[in-house]
Amino acid sequence: ADALADITARGTLRVAVPQDFPPFGSVGTDMAPMGYDIDVANLIAEKLGVKAELVPVTSANRVPYLQTNKVDLVISSLGKNAEREKVIDFSAAYAPFFNGVFAPADLSIAKAEDLAGKSIGVTRGAVEDLELTKIAPADATIKRYEDNNGTISAFLSGQVDTIATGNVVAAAILAKNPPKRPEMKFLIKNSPCYIGLNKEQAALLEKVNAIIAAAKTDGSLNAISQKWLGADLPSDL
Amino acid sequence: MSYHFEFGWLLEYYPEIIKGILVTLELIAIGGVLGIALGIFCAWVRALGPAWLKPVVATYVELIRNTPFLIQLFFIFFGLPSLGLQLPELTAANLAMVINLGAYSCEIIRAGIQATPKGQFEAGESLAMTRFETFRHVVLVPSLQRIWPALSSQVVIVMLGSSVVSQIAAEDLTFAANFIQSRTFRAFEAYIVSTSIYLVLAILLRQVLAMVGGLIFPRRAAR
Amino acid sequence: MSLIEITEVRKSFGTTEVLKGINLNVEPGEVIAIIGKSGSGKSTLLRCINGLETITDGSIAVAGAQLLDDEVHLKALRLKVGMIFQQFNLFPHLTVGGNVMLSQTVVKKTPKAEAEATARKMLERVGLGHRFDAYPDELSGGQQQRVAIARALAMQPAALLCDEITSALDPELVAEVLAVVRELAAEGMTLLMVTHEMKFARDVCNRVVFMHQGRVHEAGRPEDVFANPQTPELKQFLGVS
Amino acid sequence: MSLIEITEVRKSFGTTEVLKGINLNVEPGEVIAIIGKSGSGKSTLLRCINGLETITDGSIAVAGAQLLDDEVHLKALRLKVGMIFQQFNLFPHLTVGGNVMLSQTVVKKTPKAEAEATARKMLERVGLGHRFDAYPDELSGGQQQRVAIARALAMQPAALLCDEITSALDPELVAEVLAVVRELAAEGMTLLMVTHEMKFARDVCNRVVFMHQGRVHEAGRPEDVFANPQTPELKQFLGVS
Amino acid sequence: MITFTLWDILRNLLLATRWTILLSLVSFIGGGAVGLALLFLRISKRKAFRVIAKYYIELFQGTPLLMQLFIAFFGLGLFGIDVPAWLAAGLALTLWSAAFLAEIWRGCVEAVAKGQWEASASLGMGRLQQMRYVILPQALRVAIPPTVGFSVQIVKGTALTSIIGFVELSKAGTVVTNATFQPFTVYGLVALIYFALCWPLSKSSQILERKLNVAHRNH
Ligand SMILES: Nc1ncnc2c1ncn2[C@@H]1O[C@H](COP(=O)(O)OP(=O)(O)OP(=O)(O)O)[C@@H](O)[C@H]1O
Ligand SMILES: Nc1ncnc2c1ncn2[C@@H]1O[C@H](COP(=O)(O)OP(=O)(O)OP(=O)(O)O)[C@@H](O)[C@H]1O
Ligand SMILES: [Mg+2]
Ligand SMILES: [Mg+2]
């Protein structure tokens, strides 16, 4: 079946979005999803001329939602790797990854190699998990938590020395004035986020890529980045 | 069906799966042994123990039995550090298992103790044993034997429930499944394999418990 | 000095007084039968002597030591006085040998080998030496009760309390248990037994105590008590009227 | 034609044969006592006749119809033959009246009013008309057993099987149950009863069947069987040697 | 950052609790009905039925509920069967609790004296009639406390439906924590609400049990 045709016929775009991974996806006081990924979902739906239907997902079930055709797109800050690419297709990058490794001031860390002997908390399956697994030295311990909240709680309760997360999240932690004030040690580079689609949906893939490209040029994606990440889109995205 | 199942690639991840199985086995071994021991102690307190301890144990049992395991786990792992007790995730998971099974087995074992004929207590005491000696040597074994099937079921339930420890990064079998699916996006294969392993573990565990029962209870003598 | 001295003992359950002032002295080597209607307080009296019930008033002394209600005194008492129950109360998870050895090893800390030797001797004495490794549920009621006797004897008590120890037995099995008791009596064991076996009481006992409504109503040598009951209650109980 | 025809019936539990070829015909109105040692197969025989056990070999026919092991045949059989057990087996959650009415309304689909009338009549017959609304646990054992008889009678069976129906009763209560049975016999009910009450068997029965090791060892009129036992086994059983 | 007041947190948790309650009810009622059918199979005279029921129970008691939910929702979806989440949740919870309830009830049925089966059989009742009029009414009395006790497990079990998209109490707790970074307040409240739901159930189960024992002793 042609997914794009289905979407147009249906008049809705069903998108899997996170609700436990700020700033990409979390909830407001009315429990409605909000965040970078949600805004992108709405943007794409708008450009397709259909309504967006947001399906909140977790890291464990976001891809099964796609595989069983319960959603058309997964906009859930997906990172890309070879194994994942065997199973689903990825669009062009739609979000930069401003996530970094954070730790209290008294820990001297400047690059991945300095993580030796340290423990790092990450959210399982997130981009930083994939990246850090690649670049962290062998004797660094990566602790993978279910969601962002687990990662942050582990850091605040001292269960890990450092965490990898977004700068906006780190700012939110700082605002709560914890005893361990996280400061950015280094940025995890070159690992943007992609939109996930089912394989063999060339029409939809092409359309989504076109929308992303347009949004990059007309500044609407940059606005989303400013709003949620507090920074401009990097030029190389 | 558009999805193509492929299981061969899972072999690549066998170290994660083996490690997961071992952690799950460790959780159930430690949780089972210490949890039942704690359950015996609490059952003794509730049935025969000193009056001042009874409300303490009762509160513990009610709190644990009426809140989800996951929440208990969070409080142990994320909460205890604020009291200065920092436990590694596996220790925290083990502790949560012991505390959880302790509360459930307490109630089961207590029922077994209460079903003991009064004459057994009296016979023990009239042989000059203290109340505790009577409990330890006369009452305990037949009581456990009486409720062993119920206790075994509870142990299996707690073993299956242990899967949530993956949420505090304890690398059990469910963690392995989640880890694999997060790398490969092949959730179906990962979960089907882990579910099958859980089923095998549950069946084996039941048999091991039946064997243990056969060893510690020499005969079907409980009335 | 009497072995067991019971003075003005009273016992109430809630508001009902079950023992209403019992006086009874038991001399060493005496064999006493306690008879009386159901509900007259016979079991309660034995249970008080063994400390299974706390007395409300009066005093009980065994071998000169007062019976007090704390674990140390109770334990000392129970080392001197053994008790055998109507329902045998063997420990189902232990073998016959295990039943007889348990309290020796636990209470007296007797080494295992020695406890086993004692156990074998006592089981021999009740004619069950060959069932050392059997489990209680493999034995007949009569055999179980004999094991219970051996178990009590293994603690080497100065006196034995027996509460209707043949009442739960089939008629054929009563004789084998009574034979054991008869032998114990002949060997000089002090026995205080509640029984409905009048013939046995007459043959074996030195003294018969008739209880009625929580009191010792009549007592004396079996010849006298059975042949010449003095009170109408005893007459009625014995069926001579 | 006999009411119950038992031909070469065999019954094994696993490898042990408990009934080893039983032949017995019961005529309408006959009252038969089955006696024999414990384990001789008396209960098993009654249970086979009622279809509670499946026979291994041979045949049983009631009122000409073969006993087959399916629900339809079993139901037909049980409408003709009632059974009363040692343990009463009243339904504890129903009143006395409910016990007697249940099978009528459920099995025979008798309208409730009619079933109640029958129940009252049957309870009257066993002397318990006034306990219609009591629950079984408010009755004495003897009364419970009489309710069980009334319950069986309410199905208007052609014959009643009674398995030691007085064995679980205190001696004082035996008489009241036997009185009911005696009356049934006098009214012409066909009765097949396992009993240990020799005097009753002698007084009331037309025929006595002595079972021994799974066989009918001796049978005949009570006068003959009790006064002149032929086999040494029966002699020993009756205590005349 | 949006700020949640304590009231916002509590309100959202309570709203999510509606799902917990609804799912519990579905699971309990559906599980009860299927469990009863399963009970009949489990104690049937036909060996094949007993074996089927036994394996069913073994399967559903031997695998994590989380996986059962996952398979009911996504597994069927793989075969092109589009089950809505509420149906998958209802189905999985029903099948799961049926396995446990059937096993609990079997114990209760077996606790009814054998003589009751025999007496009712000898009165000509068929198997269903025996169950309906004689065995179940008696088994029911003993079955109530453990059944109510198991409902506590059901309430807690519904937490796992988050895997198929339900934002019930536990999931709402996680989501709110991820927006507020106040794990203690949120999980404290979650624990409290669970306790408020479960404790009355446990307590009434205990009270019923005690009543039953007293009734037994009076017999
Ligand atoms: N634990 C108890 N609580 C209340 N009342 C009791 C208790 N034990 C015994 N009684 C009452 O005390 C009275 C005497 O009981 P006891 O058992 O001593 O009688 P007994 O002479 O041994 O009778 P039996 O020959 O039936 O054994 C009875 O009325 C009994 O109901
Ligand atoms: N369900 C069973 N399974 C195995 N053996 C059985 C079963 N029921 C009875 N038996 C055996 O069959 C034999 C006959 O038993 P049955 O109950 O018929 O004897 P009985 O003559 O009624 O004895 P009693 O007078 O003790 O009631 C016994 O040896 C008994 O152990
Ligand atoms: Mg007594
Ligand atoms: Mg019999």
Side-chain angles (χ1 to χ4, degrees):
Chain A
D2 181 44
L4 183 58
D6 288 349
I7 292 165
T8 326
R10 202 188 309 121
T12 54
L13 175 69
R14 300 167 308 172
V15 189
V17 295
Q19 57 180 346
D20 50 12
F21 195 65
F24 289 94
S26 74
V27 295
T29 50
D30 56 354
M31 295 295 272
M34 55 180 221
Y36 193 112
D37 289 345
I38 285 86
D39 284 1
V40 172
N42 285 323
L43 179 97
I44 292 176
E46 190 190 318
K47 297 286 189 248
L48 285 172
V50 295
K51 270 181 54 197
E53 182 187 324
L54 301 178
V55 180
V57 295
T58 64
S59 82
N61 66 16
R62 54 192 176 181
V63 178
Y65 264 102
L66 182 67
Q67 289 163 332
T68 54
N69 265 322
K70 293 180 192 296
V71 296
D72 306 307
L73 300 177
V74 179
I75 308 183
S76 186
S77 47
L78 288 184
K80 193 158 76 168
N81 71 12
E83 278 174 306
R84 289 177 171 186
E85 274 180 300
K86 283 186 210 153
V87 182
I88 60 173
D89 274 347
F90 291 92
S91 72
Y94 74 95
F97 204 62
F98 269 121
N99 289 9
V101 170
F102 291 81
D106 53 356
L107 271 185
S108 64
I109 296 169
K111 51 188 186 306
E113 291 75 51
D114 297 341
L115 289 172
K118 306 272 188 311
S119 55
I120 314 122
V122 299
T123 301
R124 188 193 318 122
V127 181
E128 58 263 33
D129 179 8
L130 299 184
E131 285 304 312
L132 272 176
T133 307
K134 268 188 269 173
I135 60 175
D139 60 345
T141 329
I142 301 179
K143 305 276 187 200
R144 300 177 176 90
Y145 298 93
E146 185 85 0
D147 54 24
N148 218 34
N149 156 53
T151 314
I152 293 165
S153 300
F155 174 72
L156 290 179
S157 60
Q159 296 285 13
V160 289
D161 306 321
T162 69
I163 49 169
T165 188
N167 48 1
V168 179
V169 175
I173 301 175
L174 270 180
K176 294 182 62 197
N177 234 340
K180 300 179 157 222
R181 299 177 64 80
E183 62 177 42
M184 162 92 89
K185 298 297 188 184
F186 64 89
L187 211 64
I188 303 170
K189 285 194 251 18
N190 298 329
S191 45
C193 303
Y194 306 84
I195 296 174
L197 309 82
N198 270 326
K199 287 214 166 284
E200 289 154 27
Q201 295 297 343
L204 181 61
L205 180 60
E206 200 175 310
K207 189 82 189 159
V208 168
N209 280 337
I211 293 171
I212 292 173
K216 279 177 188 162
T217 35
D218 71 10
S220 48
L221 204 56
N222 198 48
I224 295 176
S225 174
Q226 271 295 344
K227 177 174 166 197
W228 294 107
L229 305 178
D232 282 328
L233 277 185
S235 50
D236 59 352
L237 189 73
Chain B
M1 189 173 74
S2 54
Y3 191 82
H4 296 287
F5 281 96
E6 270 176 48
F7 287 94
W9 57 272
L10 267 168
L11 277 179
E12 225 174 281
Y13 286 94
Y14 84 92
E16 276 82 6
I17 297 178
I18 299 285
K19 173 155 189 233
I21 293 175
L22 289 180
V23 169
T24 292
L25 285 178
E26 177 191 325
L27 285 171
I28 196 56
I30 293 181
V33 172
L34 297 183
I36 291 176
L38 178 63
I40 290 174
F41 172 75
C42 292
W44 171 73
V45 170
R46 289 199 85 172
L48 309 161
W52 63 271
L53 250 182
K54 283 185 185 177
V56 179
V57 170
T59 310
Y60 151 67
V61 169
E62 293 298 327
L63 272 182
I64 297 300
R65 280 163 47 94
N66 292 298
T67 51
F69 180 56
L70 180 64
I71 306 284
Q72 296 158 18
L73 191 66
F74 280 171
F75 274 95
I76 290 174
F77 187 68
F78 296 129
L80 285 186
S82 65
L83 302 177
L85 186 57
Q86 187 118 27
L87 300 172
E89 60 276 354
L90 206 52
T91 315
N94 274 317
L95 183 63
M97 293 280 287
V98 171
I99 288 176
N100 192 266
L101 186 58
Y104 279 99
S105 56
C106 167
E107 287 307 277
I108 297 173
I109 296 168
R110 183 167 73 130
I113 294 175
Q114 283 172 339
T116 305
K118 199 160 149 264
Q120 293 287 311
F121 288 97
E122 297 192 337
E125 287 181 33
S126 77
L127 285 167
M129 288 190 244
T130 61
R131 277 168 66 88
F132 183 75
E133 283 166 348
T134 304
F135 170 76
R136 159 79 186 75
H137 296 286
V138 175
V139 175
L140 181 58
V141 171
S143 297
L144 282 178
Q145 182 167 10
R146 222 169 272 133
I147 49 81
W148 193 250
L151 197 56
S152 303
S153 301
Q154 188 62 45
V155 172
V156 173
I157 291 172
V158 168
M159 191 267 285
L160 295 175
S162 76
S163 58
V164 301
V165 302
S166 62
Q167 301 225 1
I168 58 165
E171 305 188 351
D172 75 328
L173 182 53
T174 300
F175 182 92
N178 279 330
F179 178 80
I180 294 170
Q181 81 83 18
S182 79
R183 293 303 125 119
T184 62
F185 283 176
R186 289 190 170 275
F188 292 104
E189 286 90 340
Y191 289 157
I192 285 172
V193 167
S194 72
T195 302
S196 313
I197 296 176
Y198 271 116
L199 182 59
V200 171
L201 288 183
I203 292 169
L204 285 181
L205 185 57
R206 235 178 253 286
Q207 277 173 359
V208 167
L209 286 169
M211 258 169 51
V212 170
L215 283 180
I216 50 180
F217 312 122
R219 304 174 42 78
R220 292 238 28 104
R223 265 167 282 179
Chain C
M1 193 189 63
S2 303
L3 181 61
I4 304 178
E5 289 175 5
I6 302 169
T7 318
E8 280 301 319
V9 161
R10 288 169 182 275
K11 169 71 189 173
S12 305
F13 291 109
T15 55
T16 49
E17 196 167 44
V18 173
L19 298 181
K20 299 173 181 165
I22 302 276
N23 288 295
L24 185 66
N25 287 347
V26 183
E27 307 303 323
E30 244 193 325
V31 177
I32 297 184
I34 303 179
I35 61 175
K37 273 205 307 195
S38 177
S40 55
K42 309 180 296 292
S43 296
T44 307
L45 178 59
L46 287 202
R47 294 166 58 80
C48 286
I49 300 176
N50 199 235
L52 288 175
E53 308 281 0
T54 326
I55 56 179
T56 321
D57 201 10
S59 78
I60 295 176
V62 175
Q66 284 294 319
L67 164 52
L68 298 173
D69 188 32
D70 59 73
E71 283 224 330
V72 179
H73 281 87
L74 274 179
K75 181 169 163 177
L77 166 83
R78 285 166 177 161
L79 285 173
K80 288 180 228 148
V81 181
M83 181 145 178
I84 304 158
F85 303 83
Q86 181 175 336
Q87 296 301 343
F88 329 144
N89 292 337
L90 294 187
F91 306 138
H93 60 299
L94 298 177
T95 60
V96 163
N99 265 276
V100 183
M101 288 162 62
L102 181 67
S103 56
Q104 299 181 62
T105 50
V106 170
V107 178
K108 292 192 171 173
K109 317 287 179 213
T110 315
K112 200 151 171 278
E114 195 180 314
E116 183 175 334
T118 311
R120 288 199 185 276
K121 209 170 74 197
M122 293 306 157
L123 284 170
E124 218 57 78
R125 202 161 153 190
V126 299
L128 287 171
H130 58 296
R131 301 312 305 268
F132 193 88
D133 292 315
Y135 278 87
D137 60 1
E138 297 168 341
L139 303 184
S140 74
Q143 292 176 319
Q144 290 192 45
Q145 193 59 292
R146 281 146 65 197
V147 174
I149 295 175
R151 186 172 69 175
L153 289 177
M155 299 297 282
Q156 289 162 319
L160 272 188
L161 311 176
C162 307
D163 190 0
E164 301 196 27
I165 58 174
T166 57
S167 300
L169 298 178
D170 291 342
E172 319 93 85
L173 304 175
V174 170
E176 64 182 64
V177 172
L178 289 185
V180 169
V181 177
R182 191 184 296 263
E183 217 165 279
L184 288 178
E187 290 169 14
M189 171 64 76
T190 311
L191 288 169
L192 196 55
M193 48 194 300
V194 173
T195 184
H196 288 247
E197 304 283 334
M198 294 305 159
K199 196 174 160 315
F200 182 79
R202 190 189 305 227
D203 288 358
V204 177
C205 299
N206 311 115
R207 189 144 50 115
V208 173
V209 172
F210 172 62
M211 287 187 64
H212 185 68
Q213 296 189 342
R215 290 203 174 78
V216 174
H217 204 71
E218 217 179 310
R221 294 188 309 155
E223 307 84 285
D224 302 338
V225 169
F226 288 117
N228 280 313
Q230 300 296 311
T231 57
E233 288 80 10
L234 180 52
K235 279 184 189 152
Q236 204 204 348
F237 178 75
L238 292 174
V240 287
S241 51
Chain D
M1 194 185 65
S2 303
L3 182 60
I4 305 178
E5 288 175 7
I6 302 169
T7 318
E8 280 301 319
V9 162
R10 289 168 181 276
K11 170 72 191 173
S12 305
F13 290 110
T15 54
T16 49
E17 195 167 46
V18 172
L19 297 182
K20 300 176 180 162
I22 303 276
N23 289 295
L24 185 66
N25 287 348
V26 183
E27 305 306 323
E30 243 192 327
V31 177
I32 297 183
I34 303 178
I35 60 173
K37 273 205 307 195
S38 177
S40 54
K42 309 180 295 293
S43 297
T44 307
L45 178 60
L46 287 204
R47 295 166 58 82
C48 287
I49 300 176
N50 199 234
L52 289 175
E53 308 281 0
T54 326
I55 56 179
T56 320
D57 201 9
S59 78
I60 296 177
V62 176
Q66 284 293 321
L67 164 52
L68 297 172
D69 188 31
D70 59 74
E71 281 224 335
V72 179
H73 281 86
L74 274 180
K75 184 171 158 176
L77 166 83
R78 284 165 178 163
L79 287 175
K80 287 180 228 149
V81 181
M83 181 145 178
I84 306 160
F85 303 84
Q86 181 175 338
Q87 296 302 341
F88 329 144
N89 294 337
L90 294 187
F91 306 137
H93 60 298
L94 298 177
T95 60
V96 164
N99 265 276
V100 183
M101 287 161 64
L102 181 67
S103 56
Q104 299 181 62
T105 50
V106 169
V107 179
K108 289 194 175 173
K109 317 284 181 214
T110 316
K112 199 151 172 275
E114 195 180 313
E116 184 175 334
T118 311
R120 287 199 187 275
K121 208 170 73 196
M122 294 306 160
L123 284 170
E124 218 57 79
R125 200 160 155 190
V126 301
L128 288 170
H130 58 296
R131 302 311 306 270
F132 193 89
D133 292 316
Y135 278 87
D137 61 1
E138 298 166 344
L139 303 184
S140 75
Q143 292 175 319
Q144 290 192 44
Q145 193 59 294
R146 280 146 64 197
V147 174
I149 295 175
R151 185 172 68 175
L153 289 179
M155 299 299 282
Q156 291 163 317
L160 271 188
L161 311 175
C162 308
D163 190 2
E164 301 197 27
I165 58 172
T166 58
S167 300
L169 298 179
D170 292 341
E172 318 93 85
L173 304 175
V174 170
E176 63 183 66
V177 172
L178 290 185
V180 169
V181 177
R182 191 184 298 261
E183 219 164 278
L184 288 178
E187 289 169 13
M189 171 65 76
T190 311
L191 287 169
L192 197 55
M193 49 193 303
V194 173
T195 183
H196 288 284
E197 304 283 333
M198 294 306 159
K199 196 175 159 312
F200 182 79
R202 190 187 308 223
D203 289 358
V204 177
C205 299
N206 311 116
R207 188 141 54 111
V208 173
V209 172
F210 171 62
M211 286 190 62
H212 185 68
Q213 296 188 343
R215 290 201 174 82
V216 174
H217 206 68
E218 215 176 312
R221 294 190 308 154
E223 306 83 284
D224 301 337
V225 169
F226 287 117
N228 280 314
Q230 301 296 313
T231 57
E233 289 79 11
L234 180 52
K235 278 183 187 152
Q236 204 203 350
F237 179 74
L238 293 174
V240 287
S241 53
Chain E
M1 250 355 271
I2 291 168
T3 37
F4 278 64
T5 61
L6 188 64
W7 166 240
D8 284 328
I9 296 176
L10 186 60
R11 183 175 47 106
N12 284 319
L13 292 182
L14 286 176
L15 287 176
T17 305
R18 292 179 309 176
W19 277 114
T20 298
I21 293 173
L22 183 68
L23 287 166
S24 302
L25 285 177
V26 168
S27 165
F28 190 73
I29 294 166
V34 177
L36 194 63
L38 203 54
L39 168 70
F40 276 88
L41 292 185
R42 189 72 182 86
I43 60 176
S44 152
K45 272 187 181 165
R46 297 265 289 275
K47 181 145 187 262
F49 288 163
R50 291 202 305 270
V51 170
I52 290 172
K54 182 166 171 280
Y55 282 129
Y56 173 95
I57 290 169
E58 183 110 31
L59 181 68
F60 280 83
Q61 290 195 346
T63 50
L65 173 58
L66 188 76
M67 294 305 151
Q68 294 168 25
L69 284 159
F70 187 89
I71 288 165
F73 188 52
F74 296 111
L76 292 178
L78 269 191
F79 294 91
I81 309 168
D82 193 29
V83 232
W86 59 267
L87 184 59
L91 192 71
L93 284 170
T94 292
L95 297 181
W96 171 77
S97 45
F100 282 88
L101 287 173
E103 202 59 7
I104 291 173
W105 292 342
R106 180 172 71 105
C108 299
V109 165
E110 282 174 357
V112 176
K114 196 160 156 267
Q116 295 289 317
W117 285 101
E118 299 194 336
S120 46
S122 75
L123 286 168
M125 291 188 210
R127 189 124 174 125
L128 280 178
Q129 290 171 330
Q130 289 179 293
M131 282 295 275
R132 161 76 183 77
Y133 295 103
V134 177
I135 305 301
L136 285 186
Q138 294 181 55
L140 196 65
R141 277 165 42 87
V142 268
I144 289 173
T147 305
V148 175
F150 180 68
S151 66
V152 174
Q153 306 311 316
I154 293 183
V155 172
K156 293 198 268 170
T158 56
L160 300 171
T161 55
S162 61
I163 187 83
I164 60 176
F166 280 94
V167 184
E168 44 57 64
L169 182 52
S170 284
K171 181 65 185 174
T174 325
V175 171
V176 171
T177 312
N178 270 302
T180 62
F181 302 127
Q182 299 177 7
F184 277 98
T185 322
V186 179
Y187 287 127
L189 287 173
V190 169
L192 229 105
I193 297 175
Y194 271 114
F195 192 81
L197 287 179
C198 295
W199 194 68
L201 291 173
S202 313
K203 206 68 205 164
S204 49
S205 150
Q206 282 165 15
I207 291 169
L208 285 168
E209 184 146 21
R210 215 166 300 139
K211 268 212 187 120
L212 207 68
N213 283 338
V214 172
H216 260 286
R217 241 172 271 135
N218 285 347
H219 271 203

